[in-house]
């Protein structure tokens, strides 16, 4: 590898470098200030903000990093820095910053102040893993980044050790994770055996060869999907989600449900687009290499995911667990954007993620603030809260209505664009199933409202008034959900600029 | 014309009121109530201003030029996606003869419902804030001329309605509220799908000559705007227009509510507090039939012609079934709820005739049903407030105890039966005259007349059971109407009797538009004549 190439490649991974430096600073600071750890969250937050600046700056640096330049005239690297990747990095970095703020407000996390340095260091580990996952175009790097993300999250899921459920969550997460990452590694080795390469672009060229062994390729791909499907908690790899989400500290649950899912989606979309798509039509549809009918498989997975998620959520009494199932359902909706295999669908996913970030983190924030006070996430304990804690209840109501996808909230716009993409691709039946699913989801979201508002407050109903800083954070999440519901132009404008996936 | 955006004002005034209420303290119950009263009264004044400036000869329906009080500007515009073109959504309001009666109705009923809400004191702040939000949603549906905007307003009503039934309702309020919510959401997903389908099937030519996909209802009514391969395009031999029509119709039918989608209505009515029942019966049910007239008919005239027999059939079933079930009721409110189902059947029947007389009758019936049923629910509310029971057999002889009340009840009941000199008579007569003139649905029309007989049956029987016969001693202490109740009953009675004697006041308002609509539906989207385009 030439020096110039290396230099240019390093330019392309500045955000990751900054993140690593911040991580080191964080660890050292943790050692220096071991008596007064109040400064640690601020270092963590600052590091994330600085990284964010470099991530935004990356919109100007598009290209492949660490290309080997040996195979073909055009060289493909191990990393592809493109607007699509930058978009997802932004999603990750914004949600990370909100998670840091959430952690500051969380009683659960504040009880473990002596280990707070490790907590943030592990979050940084997750961010780093996600960043590489989002940009990786090499199977080895994909696997490594996935493991980096997973290992950090296994520890974080059981971090507080306050309840038995913490350890249970951590262990379950580890076991499921180990199995799926093993499957994925097996799939990767099969693909390597088949094509002799780990680079997605080269694999793409090679599998267009009609003599390829279809069975092995399909089998290997399904195994790789298992690994990615586990990260985005799509059926049938979703079983860990409810237990882990319920058991993990709520900040980590929120982080997993947004950032980790975003990284998984970025990986899945990039994988499908770079490996299986031969060209893009003028109408923005992706033409698949005809080795296997991936589209039908994705349709089935998507419908299964949302249906299982929604129907299981109907029976939940714990709000955290219910939100876990709801996040499974949302993964199903978002898969719809991939199912249509078009730029229109990709835009829909990006729009959905921006909105999902706001409404899901918002919902978790409210649940956390309420749990801080009443020490419970059971829906029955929310009885009458609507009358004693108006700010929190109204915000939660708005987030839940947005998650259902009713106008005039932003959630409607997210769903609308997904359905537009489906109708555009003439997949009406799928659209109908998805819409029926959102009717089902209405029932369990509204159930929370029922407990908050339809049950009268009693003398024992606590009155929860969030601190000023938390109230501001809440408003920062609520107001856009309402504004984007009636004026969504900026979202779409931004999304349409972020659909460039570097390809052949 | 008027120099200010009057339709936006009449639509969003309640939201402004809601925001003010949110800043008031919850102890200031009287201020909140008076504010709501002032806002709804102002809405009535604005609607009268609209009426005074209304041009009776402008048709509307599908011509943008002849809509009145138009407000139109670009709301969302996304350019620069080569494979998709420009995406645009307009903020587009306007009224014509189809919507003008509904705007008047909404303003009047909201005002009356506010008066009727006066004795609500349990978290009054939330109640009136939600009430005003509901008001905006209703008004918006009737003035929106862009499908997207229409849909937003349509859905905007769901949440306030859920809470209004769910928090301030009766014993089974939770069940009724969620049933209403899920039913209507189920209906609106079909509307949403058809909306997206239409969006991809038709384009609008902008001023600069470029073609963009459109949600504009009026552009969707122009067959020459459709692509050749759109899934809902009449030119596409494999189009899904029939399925889309049925889906859209089902979405609206749930709101009407049309048999067999009516089961949410009795539950919602019985559990809802009186003012919300008034709004529900007075305005919300009209949205279904209004949606069919505003969207289904002119966008799918070809399918409408094919399916008119079925619409009439469902109208007939609604009339007979609603009346029969009403006969069997022992609960006063449930009886009125089912009579509502029956009376909305007349609207369907009149619409299905596709004649000018029939559709005039249908819209007039929508207005009359709004006022009459609102009054009926207020009547139930009055007696329930005093006696805390609604059982039809629990009363007897109230006429001597509450003579003035009985007088108003008689007016409302006879109007509901369709006695001449009451508004209900005119609209039902027009519906029957219109429908009878159409050969294919004549038998259905004749069967439907049974509904009048049954209607007279359950109404008169109710009158007899509650008001005549010996006075049940238990109720010897009931008092007659008070001032607030006069304020609700007198205006409604005046409207009912005035329109019974001088129906032209309302019919002239809609006649031009209805004629245009009838002509358009009977000739529009004729595929054989379109193929030359």
């Amino acid at each position: 590898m030439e020096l110039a190439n290396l230099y240019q490649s390093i330019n392309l991974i500045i955000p990751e470098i900054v993140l690593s430096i911040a991580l080191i600073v964080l660890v050292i600071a943790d050692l220096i200030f071991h008596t007064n750890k109040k400064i640690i969250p601020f270092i963590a937050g600052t590091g994330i903000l600085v990284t964010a600046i470099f991530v935004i700056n990356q919109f100007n640096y598009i290209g492949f990093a660490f290309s080997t330049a040996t195979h073909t005239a055009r060289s493909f690297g191990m990393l592809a820095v493109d607007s699509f990747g930058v978009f997802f990095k932004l999603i990750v970095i914004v949600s990370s910053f909100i998670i840091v703020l959430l952690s500051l407000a969380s009683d659960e996390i504040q009880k473990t102040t002596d280990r707070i340095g490790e907590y943030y260091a592990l979050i940084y580990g997750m961010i780093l893993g996600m960043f590489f996952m989002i940009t990786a175009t090499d199977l080895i790097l994909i696997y490594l980044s996935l493991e980096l993300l997973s290992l950090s999250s296994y520890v974080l899921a059981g971090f507080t050790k306050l309840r038995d459920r913490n350890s249970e969550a951590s262990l379950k997460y580890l076991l499921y994770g180990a199995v799926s990452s093993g499957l994925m590694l097996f799939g990767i080795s099969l693909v390597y055996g088949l094509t002799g390469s780990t680079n997605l672009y080269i694999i793409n060229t090679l599998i267009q060869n009609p003599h390829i062994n279809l069975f092995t390729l399909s089998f290997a791909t399904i195994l790789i999907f298992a690994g990615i499907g586990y990260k985005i908690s799509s059926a049938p790899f979703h079983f860990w989600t409810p237990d882990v989400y319920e058991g993990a500290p709520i900040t980590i649950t929120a982080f997993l449900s947004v950032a980790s899912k975003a990284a998984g989606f970025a990986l899945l979309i990039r994988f499908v687009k770079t490996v299986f798509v031969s060209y893009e039509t003028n109408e923005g549809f992706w033409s698949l290499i005809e080795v296997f009918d991936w589209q039908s498989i994705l349709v089935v997975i998507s419908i299964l995911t949302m249906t299982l998620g929604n129907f299981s959520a109907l029976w939940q009494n714990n709000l955290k667990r219910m939100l876990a199932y709801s996040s499974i359902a949302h993964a199903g909706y978002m898969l719809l954007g991939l199912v249509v295999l078009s730029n229109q669908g990709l835009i829909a996913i990006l729009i959905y993620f921006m909105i999902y970030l706001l409404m899901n983190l918002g919902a978790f924030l409210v649940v956390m603030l309420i749990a801080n006070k009443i020490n419970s996430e059971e829906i029955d304990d929310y009885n009458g809260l609507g009358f004693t804690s108006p700010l929190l209840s109204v915000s939660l109501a708005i987030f839940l209505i947005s998650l259902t996808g009713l106008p005039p909230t932003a959630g409607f716009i997210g769903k609308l664009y997904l359905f537009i993409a489906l109708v555009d691709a003439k997949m009406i039946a799928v659209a109908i199933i998805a819409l029926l699913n959102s009717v089902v989801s209405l029932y369990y979201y509204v159930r929370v409202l029922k407990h908050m508002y339809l049950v009268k407050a009693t003398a024992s109903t606590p009155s929860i008034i969030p601190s000023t800083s938390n109230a501001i954070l809440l408003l920062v999440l609520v107001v856009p959900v309402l504004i984007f519901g009636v004026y969504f132009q900026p979202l779409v404008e931004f999304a349409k600029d972020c659909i460039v996936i570097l390809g052949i | 014309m008027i120099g200010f955006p009057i339709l936006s004002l009449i639509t969003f005034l309640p939201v402004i009121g809601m925001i003010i209420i949110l800043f008031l303290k919850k102890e200031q119950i009287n201020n909140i109530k008076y504010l709501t009263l002032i806002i709804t009264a102002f809405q009535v004044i604005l609607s009268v201003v609209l009426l005074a400036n209304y041009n009776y000869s402008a048709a509307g329906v599908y011509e943008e030029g002849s809509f009145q009080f138009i407000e139109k500007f670009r709301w969302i515009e996304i350019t620069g996606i080569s494979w998709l073109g420009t995406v645009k959504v307009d903020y587009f309001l306007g009224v014509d003869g189809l919507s003008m009666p509904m705007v008047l109705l909404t303003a009047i009923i909201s005002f009356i419902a506010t008066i009727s809400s006066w004795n609500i004191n349990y978290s009054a702040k939330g109640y009136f804030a939600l009430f005003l939000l509901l008001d905006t949603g209703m008004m918006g549906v009737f003035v929106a001329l862009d499908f997207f905007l229409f849909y937003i307003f349509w859905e905007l009503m769901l949440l306030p309605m859920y809470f209004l039934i769910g928090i301030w309702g009766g014993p089974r309020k939770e069940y009724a509220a969620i049933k209403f919510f899920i039913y209507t959401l189920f209906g609106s997903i079909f509307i949403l799908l058809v909306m997206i389908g239409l969006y991809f099937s038709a384009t609008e030519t902008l001023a600069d000559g470029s073609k963009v996909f459109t949600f504009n209802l009026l552009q969707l009514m122009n067959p020459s705007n459709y692509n050749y391969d759109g899934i809902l395009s009449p030119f596409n031999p494999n189009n899904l227009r029939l399925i889309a029509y049925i889906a859209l119709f089902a979405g609206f039918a749930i709101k009407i509510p049309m048999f067999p989608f009516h089961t949410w209505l009795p539950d919602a009515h019985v559990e809802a507090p009186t003012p919300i029942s008034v709004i529900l019966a007075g305005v919300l049910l009209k949205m279904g039939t209004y949606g069919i007239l505003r969207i289904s008919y002119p966008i799918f005239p070809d399918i409408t012609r094919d399916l008119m027999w079925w619409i009439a059939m469902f109208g007939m079933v609604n009339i007979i079934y609603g009346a029969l079930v009403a006969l069997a009721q022992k609960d006063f409110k449930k009886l009125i709820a089912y009579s509502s189902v029956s009376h909305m059947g007349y609207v369907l029947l009149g619409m299905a005739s596709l004649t000018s007389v029939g559709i005039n009758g249908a819209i007039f019936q929508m207005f009359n049903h709004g006022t009459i049923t609102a009054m009926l629910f207020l009547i139930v509310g009055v007696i329930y407030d005093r006696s805390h029971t609604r059982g039809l057999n629990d009363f007897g002889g109230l006429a001597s105890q509450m003579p003035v009340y009985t007088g108003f009840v008689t007016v409302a009941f006879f109007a509901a039966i369709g006695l001449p000199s009451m508004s209900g008579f005119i609209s039902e007569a027009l519906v029957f005259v219109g429908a009878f003139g159409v050969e294919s649905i004549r038998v259905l029309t004749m069967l439907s007349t049974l509904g009048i007989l049954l209607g007279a049956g359950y109404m008169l029987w109710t009158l007899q059971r509650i008001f005549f016969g010996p006075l049940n001693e238990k109720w010897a202490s009931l008092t007659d109407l008070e001032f607030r109740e006069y304020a609700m009953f007198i205006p409604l009675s005046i409207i009912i009797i005035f329109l019974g004697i001088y129906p032209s006041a309302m019919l002239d308002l809609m006649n031009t538009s209805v004629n245009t609509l009838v002509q358009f539906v009977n000739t529009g989207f004729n595929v054989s004549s379109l193929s030359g385009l």
Side-chain angles (χ1 to χ4, degrees):
Chain A
M1 199 184 290
E2 305 144 34
L3 206 58
N5 184 356
L6 192 65
Y7 176 71
Q8 198 220 340
S9 299
I10 284 176
N11 258 333
L12 288 169
I13 57 161
I14 285 182
E16 285 82 355
I17 294 174
V18 173
L19 208 53
S20 311
I21 295 171
L23 173 59
I24 295 164
V25 171
L26 195 66
V27 172
I28 295 172
D30 187 35
L31 294 174
I32 298 174
F33 302 104
H34 55 88
T35 48
N36 179 12
K37 303 231 172 182
K38 283 212 171 93
I39 196 167
I40 302 292
F42 296 101
I43 296 175
T46 318
I48 287 170
L49 285 181
V50 173
T51 314
I53 294 167
F54 285 100
V55 170
I56 293 167
N57 196 31
Q58 254 191 335
F59 275 114
N60 307 319
Y61 293 93
I62 303 297
F64 292 109
F66 302 110
S67 54
T68 42
T70 51
H71 289 274
T72 49
R74 288 188 55 188
S75 57
F76 306 113
M78 297 174 75
L79 293 172
V81 177
D82 44 26
S83 64
F84 168 81
V86 178
F87 174 89
F88 274 99
K89 282 185 189 173
L90 273 179
I91 292 280
V92 168
I93 210 78
V94 170
S95 48
S96 311
F97 188 67
I98 295 174
I99 293 302
V100 171
L101 298 180
L102 243 68
S103 307
L104 280 173
S106 162
D107 280 0
E108 224 177 343
I109 300 301
Q110 295 310 317
K111 279 178 194 154
T112 53
T113 316
D114 50 328
R115 294 185 289 135
I116 205 78
E118 297 154 41
Y119 174 80
Y120 287 108
L122 285 166
I123 285 189
Y124 266 62
M126 282 178 77
I127 303 173
L128 205 55
M130 290 189 251
F131 270 25
F132 278 114
M133 231 168 108
I134 288 164
T135 44
T137 58
D138 189 286
L139 287 174
I140 298 292
L141 190 61
I142 288 175
Y143 180 74
L144 286 176
S145 56
L146 205 69
E147 283 301 282
L148 178 54
L149 168 59
S150 301
L151 290 172
S152 316
S153 22
Y154 299 151
V155 183
L156 280 174
F159 184 75
T160 53
K161 296 193 279 190
L162 291 175
R163 290 176 294 175
D164 290 346
R165 302 222 59 145
N166 275 170
S167 323
E168 183 194 336
S170 186
L171 186 65
K172 270 194 176 146
Y173 201 13
L174 175 69
L175 287 176
Y176 280 108
V179 171
S180 68
S181 97
L183 290 177
M184 187 175 182
L185 195 59
F186 186 39
I188 290 175
S189 68
L190 283 178
V191 171
Y192 181 72
L194 212 54
T195 59
S197 172
T198 55
N199 189 298
L200 300 187
Y201 298 98
I202 295 165
I203 294 170
N204 176 293
T205 326
L206 291 174
I207 64 171
Q208 297 197 32
N209 176 354
H211 302 298
I212 196 123
N213 185 333
L214 273 187
F215 176 76
T216 318
L217 178 67
S218 316
F219 184 61
T221 316
I222 288 173
L223 291 177
I224 295 177
F225 275 177
I228 306 175
Y230 159 81
K231 269 286 157 249
I232 62 172
S233 53
S234 76
F237 314 108
H238 67 283
F239 293 104
W240 61 275
T241 317
D243 292 330
V244 173
Y245 279 22
E246 192 187 347
I250 195 157
T251 50
I252 298 306
T253 307
F255 198 43
L256 288 176
S257 76
V258 177
S260 172
K261 194 162 279 199
F265 260 94
L267 174 58
L268 179 64
I269 295 166
R270 190 185 290 283
F271 186 77
V272 169
K273 176 98 193 271
T274 43
V275 175
F276 294 107
V277 175
S278 51
Y279 66 94
E280 226 172 73
T281 67
N282 289 335
E283 288 80 34
F285 283 94
W286 304 348
S287 181
L288 278 186
I289 298 171
E290 289 179 4
V291 286
F292 197 77
D293 190 3
W294 293 118
Q295 198 167 19
S296 307
I297 295 225
L298 284 171
V299 169
V300 173
I301 290 180
S302 159
I303 289 176
L304 257 183
T305 308
M306 71 178 90
T307 313
L308 277 173
N310 278 326
F311 277 90
S312 315
L314 288 178
W315 319 112
Q316 302 310 320
N317 292 320
N318 181 299
L319 199 49
K320 232 165 127 187
R321 201 172 170 86
M322 192 200 88
L323 285 174
Y325 279 110
S326 118
S327 89
I328 296 174
H330 282 274
Y333 295 133
M334 286 187 271
L335 275 173
L336 291 175
L338 180 63
V339 158
V340 295
L341 295 173
S342 69
N343 287 341
Q344 176 71 17
L346 183 53
I347 287 192
I349 296 184
L350 301 190
I351 294 171
Y352 206 100
F353 252 112
M354 289 188 264
I355 295 163
Y356 178 72
L357 180 147
L358 293 170
M359 58 193 186
N360 218 37
L361 289 182
F364 275 115
L365 171 62
V366 178
V367 173
M368 186 190 82
L369 292 176
I370 292 176
N372 275 350
K373 181 89 175 185
I374 65 175
N375 204 11
S376 158
E377 286 126 11
E378 296 297 316
I379 298 181
D380 286 338
D381 294 333
Y382 280 54
N383 284 353
L385 272 186
F387 300 97
T388 54
S389 322
L391 178 64
L392 288 179
S393 310
V394 169
S395 309
L396 186 57
I398 292 170
F399 292 132
L400 293 178
I401 289 302
S402 181
L403 284 166
T404 320
L406 290 181
T409 58
F412 169 65
I413 304 302
K415 288 238 170 84
L416 178 75
Y417 267 85
L418 283 175
F419 294 130
I420 283 182
L422 280 174
V423 173
D424 194 25
K426 308 233 176 346
M427 302 174 90
I428 314 276
V430 183
I432 291 176
I433 295 175
L435 278 167
L436 290 176
N437 256 291
S438 49
V439 177
V440 174
S441 74
L442 174 77
Y443 184 79
Y444 61 83
Y445 290 127
V446 168
R447 222 179 103 204
V448 182
L449 305 190
K450 186 184 97 178
H451 280 273
M452 288 195 308
Y453 286 100
L454 270 50
V455 180
K456 287 197 168 104
T458 59
S460 61
T461 310
S463 166
I464 307 168
I465 294 147
S467 70
T468 317
S469 53
N470 289 338
I472 290 171
L473 177 59
L474 196 56
L475 288 177
V476 166
L477 294 169
V478 165
V479 172
V481 168
L482 290 176
I483 289 179
F484 288 141
V486 288
Y487 189 72
F488 49 95
Q489 190 166 331
L491 287 183
V492 186
E493 295 273 0
F494 184 53
K496 80 165 205 265
D497 291 334
C498 294
I499 56 160
V500 180
I501 299 179
L502 283 186
I504 297 169
Chain B
M1 292 302 267
I2 299 171
F4 59 97
I6 186 164
L7 290 183
S8 292
L9 189 63
I10 202 171
T11 308
F12 289 106
L13 193 64
V15 168
I16 299 170
M18 182 189 86
I19 293 168
I20 299 174
I21 285 180
L22 292 181
F23 283 102
L24 291 175
K25 286 208 175 60
K26 62 180 167 202
E27 289 78 23
Q28 298 171 295
I29 292 179
N30 273 330
N31 292 353
I32 290 169
K33 285 177 182 171
Y34 278 109
L35 180 71
T36 312
L37 189 68
I38 290 166
I39 281 176
T40 48
F42 198 53
Q43 251 188 329
V44 175
I45 294 169
L46 283 174
S47 70
V48 172
V49 172
L50 278 177
L51 195 60
N53 289 279
Y54 188 79
N55 176 358
Y56 283 68
S57 59
V61 183
Y62 64 94
E63 292 171 303
E64 189 173 330
S66 56
F67 269 91
Q68 307 187 41
F69 314 107
I70 287 179
E71 288 163 39
K72 186 180 186 182
F73 61 85
R74 192 59 43 85
W75 172 19
I76 305 283
E77 181 166 19
I78 297 145
T79 53
I81 314 176
S82 60
W83 34 266
L84 196 67
T86 307
V87 176
K88 71 163 200 66
V89 182
D90 281 337
Y91 175 83
F92 184 17
L93 306 181
V95 290
D96 65 355
L98 305 181
S99 45
M100 194 58 209
M102 296 299 110
V103 171
L104 288 173
L105 181 68
T106 309
I108 294 166
I109 297 296
S110 300
F111 179 67
I112 301 279
T114 310
I115 302 177
S116 159
S117 308
W118 217 255
N119 50 8
I120 285 190
N121 289 321
Y122 175 67
S123 43
K125 180 177 166 179
Y127 176 89
F128 286 97
L130 289 165
F131 181 90
L132 288 171
L133 187 62
L134 178 68
D135 192 357
T136 287
M138 298 189 299
M139 200 54 103
V141 164
F142 292 128
V143 296
L145 291 178
D146 187 280
F147 209 156
F148 192 82
L149 194 59
F150 176 91
Y151 188 79
I152 299 256
F153 283 126
W154 179 275
E155 296 276 274
L156 186 63
M157 296 168 323
L158 292 184
L159 205 60
M161 204 63 194
Y162 169 79
F163 283 122
L164 287 169
I165 297 177
I167 301 180
W168 290 273
R172 286 168 72 238
K173 58 189 184 175
E174 293 168 14
Y175 170 75
I178 192 71
K179 192 169 177 183
F180 163 82
F181 207 163
I182 287 185
Y183 248 100
T184 13
L185 186 69
F186 184 74
S188 45
I189 63 169
F190 291 111
I191 301 175
L192 177 67
L193 265 184
V194 175
M195 176 178 106
I196 298 173
L198 283 169
Y199 176 74
F200 280 112
S201 301
T203 52
E204 173 185 1
T205 311
L206 295 183
D208 62 358
S210 61
K211 284 180 180 292
V212 296
F213 288 130
T214 184
F215 285 118
N216 185 325
L217 285 174
L218 309 184
Q219 299 290 342
L220 291 171
M221 293 169 195
N222 184 349
S224 60
N225 280 341
Y226 283 82
N227 320 326
Y228 284 86
D229 55 349
I231 47 171
L232 297 183
S233 160
F235 305 112
N236 182 349
N238 303 318
N239 67 49
L240 302 172
R241 283 174 73 82
L242 178 64
I243 295 170
Y245 187 86
I246 294 171
L248 190 60
F249 196 87
F252 290 135
I254 286 175
K255 205 75 157 197
I256 296 175
M258 186 183 84
F259 178 88
F261 304 120
H262 66 283
T263 61
W264 63 268
L265 183 80
D267 288 313
H269 267 316
V270 170
E271 302 308 325
T274 304
I276 301 310
S277 282
V278 169
I279 294 262
L280 189 59
V283 184
L284 252 65
L285 305 190
K286 311 301 171 299
M287 289 181 178
T289 40
Y290 173 79
I292 293 172
L293 285 174
R294 167 68 69 216
I295 297 175
S296 300
Y297 269 37
I299 293 182
F300 299 93
D302 44 343
I303 314 292
T304 306
R305 290 194 293 274
D306 292 345
L307 294 184
M308 63 181 275
W309 188 85
W310 289 98
I311 302 175
M313 207 274 289
F314 276 112
M316 186 273 288
V317 172
N318 250 37
I319 295 171
I320 305 289
Y321 174 85
L324 284 175
V325 180
L327 265 178
Q329 295 310 316
K330 293 193 172 61
D331 181 312
F332 198 176
K333 214 171 180 185
K334 236 178 178 163
L335 176 116
I336 305 296
Y338 277 107
S339 86
S340 233
V341 173
S342 178
H343 283 110
M344 290 307 284
Y346 294 115
V347 180
L348 280 171
L349 184 66
M351 284 180 355
S353 73
L354 299 186
T355 60
S356 187
V357 179
I359 294 185
N360 263 317
I363 301 178
F364 196 26
Q365 170 74 0
M366 279 155 71
F367 186 88
N368 292 339
H369 176 258
T371 46
I372 295 170
T373 311
M375 193 156 159
L376 290 172
F377 277 114
L378 291 172
I379 284 166
V380 179
V382 165
I383 197 154
Y384 184 73
D385 282 348
R386 285 168 172 66
S387 66
H388 301 288
T389 172
R390 291 187 305 248
L392 288 170
N393 298 326
D394 298 350
F395 297 100
L398 287 189
S400 56
Q401 187 69 30
M402 304 168 75
V404 182
Y405 175 60
T406 312
F408 283 117
V409 171
T410 318
V411 170
F413 273 35
F414 283 149
I417 295 169
L419 197 75
S421 85
M422 305 278 184
S423 61
F425 168 71
I426 311 282
S427 52
E428 284 175 27
L430 286 175
V431 164
F432 281 120
V433 170
F436 194 76
V438 182
E439 186 84 46
S440 58
I441 59 171
R442 188 164 289 161
V443 178
L444 294 172
T445 314
M446 290 195 288
L447 285 172
S448 303
T449 49
L450 266 178
I452 298 188
L453 205 63
L454 294 170
Y458 62 74
M459 281 298 182
L460 293 177
W461 191 25
T462 306
L463 200 60
Q464 186 203 344
R465 277 188 286 179
I466 295 186
F467 296 98
F468 301 125
L471 177 68
N472 184 338
E473 287 308 317
K474 206 161 78 175
W475 311 121
S477 60
L478 290 192
T479 50
D480 213 335
L481 299 185
E482 53 192 69
F483 172 74
R484 184 177 64 85
E485 290 156 346
Y486 277 113
M488 307 187 295
F489 286 131
I490 291 175
L492 286 174
S493 307
I494 290 175
I495 292 171
I496 289 168
I497 294 171
F498 173 73
L499 288 178
I501 298 166
Y502 186 63
S504 307
M506 187 55 68
L507 289 171
D508 287 349
L509 198 62
M510 53 183 133
N511 197 24
T512 320
S513 298
V514 169
N515 286 336
T516 314
L517 176 72
V518 167
Q519 207 219 341
F520 186 75
V521 174
N522 279 311
T523 56
F525 281 66
N526 193 334
V527 177
S528 54
S529 72
L530 285 177
S531 50
L533 282 166

